[in-house]
Amino acid sequence: MNELLIRGRVLTFVKEPEGIDDNASYRFFGDGAVLVRNGKVAGIGAHADVAKQAREGVKVADHRPNLVLPGLIDTHLHFPQTQAIASYGAQLLEWLNTYIFVEEQKFKAPEHAAFVAGRFMDELLANGTTTAVAYCSVHPESVDAFFAAAEARNMLMVGGKVMMDRNAPDALRDTPQKGYDETKHLIGKWHRRGRAHYAISPRFAITSTPEQMEMSRALVAEHPDCYVQTHLSENKDEIVFATSLYPEAKDYTDIYARYDLLGRRTLLGHCIYLSDREISVLAETGAVGVFCPTSNLFLGSGLFDRDRFDRLGARHSVATDVGAGTSFSMLETMDEAYKVLHLQGQRLSPLNSFYMMTLGNARALELEHSIGSLHVGADADIVVLDSRAKPAMELRMQVASSLLEELFILQTMGDDRSVAEVYVAGRPMKRTARSTPVTALSARTVETA
């Protein structure tokens, strides 16, 4: 039996915080522990209590005084754009044509796709992210590379081949039938293989003809347990272009609604310029609007209105959106989210930030039974955060007097340097993610509890 006792200051959420001091929204153990058995959480609580549940001679990873939390979750990013981060000076449509469509053509080559997929997974892990939802390129080779890299690390990942049959370079276009056939084959090959989940991925209305949208509808009907991911209302020029291609639609959201693509497993990137009617449609169908603050600022797209989503009862999540997003770090992403909301007179408490990165995003994916919180039976995907990782953080922490202050310091000043360790299904991964040989646990390890 494979057991590990992870000791530290343990924090996990049980519900969405209703205020800045909603103590009932989380469980916190100042000297806590998580017992991992065969890749699952077998116990959580005060160290003295959890240690009694462990077998004699259990290995202990002692991370005190660091925080032990569920692994972070990213609900929207593009793995083929890993080497296109920091591409200068363009808004969405120009940026796609100038940089992204050029970069994505490289992913026809399996060797290139495999190289970038490995680096992509390692960057996620180095930043404390253990699950992500990603677009691959139009090439099946990119999907194979993506899921193979995740499988090698035993990561729970969601992804899929983009479907594009117009308004893209010839080398990046499929056809409605080819997109359907390749997607169907990839679903059969990868969906629910190990920890893999497939996302049917018509890139957005601009790059799919009505015929391809019909094929997307057929795929969703045939595979209702797959996810759907696409883009919605990121940029004003995009909205004008998309709605001009589908003049019969009431608005941009109605394009997807007409093809039955909206449901509780649908993830819609950006959702910046939606009308109340459109947000109400998302609320009725259960579709998720994905808040991508870093990329929205980088491309000058606009500001996501979280409070209006809440008022109208629509679901939402948060994501990095690499490569328009400029960092793999969910901590840095929440720092930008705080500013985006602050500009609109909306508040983002540190509790809500950490809830969104963990249990909130897990609920958006309807995977809260296995990831997003540390409960008995959950997958042991865990991140250890050091709130004193940088000299400026250590100096600030000298005067911090509460857990909430510490979380806000991590959110505001933290980055990959704050990630002391990452566990995927109970296996330590941080050093592996930086391509350093792993000879022992990065924490102090002893043989008995």
Side-chain angles (χ1 to χ4, degrees), residues 209-228:
T209 60
E211 292 76 19
Q212 186 162 79
M213 297 292 265
E214 286 287 1
M215 289 295 191
S216 298
R217 187 210 308 254
L219 287 164
V220 172
E222 293 164 9
H223 306 281
D225 63 336
C226 284
Y227 292 92
V228 178

Side-chain angles (χ1 to χ4, degrees), residues 7 91 94 109 132 143 155 165 215 221 226-227 248 261 264 269 273 278 288 329 354 404 409 431 443:
R7 188 174 184 180
Q91 290 201 338
E94 180 188 351
V143 182
M155 297 170 70
D165 68 338
M215 289 295 191
C226 284
Y227 292 92
E248 72 285 357
L261 298 181
R264 292 191 64 82
Y273 297 104
E278 291 176 280
V288 178
S329 171
F354 278 81
L404 295 187
I409 290 166
R431 291 190 181 185

Side-chain angles (χ1 to χ4, degrees), residues 37-357:
R37 183 176 295 139
N38 297 329
K40 301 282 189 180
V41 175
I44 175 176
H47 171 259
D49 297 329
V50 177
K52 295 175 184 176
Q53 303 172 36
R55 62 177 171 80
E56 185 177 354
V58 65
K59 286 187 176 180
V60 179
D62 190 345
H63 289 287
R64 293 175 296 173
N66 294 337
L67 288 167
V68 176
L69 299 96
L72 307 182
I73 301 168
D74 188 344
T75 57
H76 178 111
L77 70 172
H78 297 256
F79 119 72
Q81 297 176 18
T82 300
Q83 290 184 293
I85 296 172
S87 295
Y88 171 75
Q91 290 201 338
L92 175 64
L93 298 181
E94 180 188 351
W95 176 80
L96 283 172
N97 285 294
T98 305
Y99 302 112
I100 300 308
F101 288 159
V102 174
E103 186 67 24
E104 290 191 3
Q105 291 180 53
K106 301 175 184 177
F107 285 79
K108 174 67 174 174
E111 300 82 2
H112 180 77
F115 166 73
V116 176
R119 291 294 297 270
F120 174 83
M121 299 299 168
D122 289 346
E123 281 301 318
L124 290 174
L125 291 170
N127 283 278
T129 299
T130 53
T131 289
V133 183
Y135 292 75
C136 303
S137 73
V138 73
H139 313 101
E141 295 87 349
S142 74
V143 182
D144 288 339
F146 172 82
F147 281 122
E151 186 173 72
R153 294 158 179 79
N154 198 23
M155 297 170 70
L156 194 164
M157 297 291 287
V158 182
K161 156 198 155 63
V162 294
M163 301 165 67
M164 301 195 294
D165 68 338
R166 65 171 167 181
N167 294 320
D170 289 345
L172 291 181
R173 293 185 196 173
D174 53 18
T175 66
Q177 189 64 51
K178 185 178 181 182
Y180 171 87
D181 291 342
E182 290 181 340
T183 298
K184 191 174 183 68
H185 172 75
L186 290 164
I187 291 170
K189 183 175 183 179
W190 290 109
H191 186 53
R192 297 194 181 277
R193 171 171 151 177
R195 305 184 76 196
H197 295 260
Y198 199 88
I200 298 163
S201 308
R203 189 182 200 121
F204 64 155
I206 288 173
T207 52
S208 287
T209 60
E211 292 76 19
Q212 186 162 79
M213 297 292 265
E214 286 287 1
M215 289 295 191
S216 298
R217 187 210 308 254
L219 287 164
V220 172
E222 293 164 9
H223 306 281
D225 63 336
C226 284
Y227 292 92
V228 178
Q229 61 178 352
T230 190
H231 296 80
L232 174 64
S233 193
E234 178 178 2
N235 170 285
K236 291 181 179 179
D237 290 340
E238 169 211 6
I239 297 167
V240 172
F241 193 5
T243 53
S244 74
L245 295 171
Y246 292 88
E248 72 285 357
K250 298 174 185 176
D251 44 43
Y252 198 167
T253 301
D254 193 46
I255 298 172
Y256 299 125
R258 284 170 177 260
Y259 293 98
D260 298 323
L261 298 181
L262 302 181
R264 292 191 64 82
R265 288 179 170 262
T266 301
L267 302 166
L268 300 162
H270 308 295
C271 296
I272 296 173
Y273 297 104
L274 299 184
S275 66
D276 283 2
R277 191 206 81 82
E278 291 176 280
I279 296 176
S280 295
V281 169
L282 302 193
E284 291 164 10
T285 58
V288 178
V290 185
F291 179 17
C292 303
T294 314
S295 70
N296 295 159
L297 293 174
F298 179 73
L299 293 177
S301 298
L303 308 178
F304 180 85
D305 190 346
R306 183 208 58 193
D307 283 6
R308 197 153 57 98
F309 266 68
D310 287 342
R311 176 170 54 83
L312 294 172
R315 304 166 71 210
H316 52 84
S317 65
V318 68
T320 64
D321 192 27
V322 165
T326 51
S327 173
F328 280 86
S329 171
M330 288 299 294
L331 296 174
E332 291 187 307
T333 297
M334 297 315 297
D335 180 35
E336 297 304 304
Y338 175 87
K339 298 168 189 174
V340 165
L341 297 177
H342 211 29
L343 282 168
Q344 301 172 86
Q346 301 176 23
R347 305 292 289 271
L348 179 62
S349 76
L351 286 182
N352 281 101
S353 288
F354 278 81
Y355 165 81
M356 286 304 303
M357 288 187 282

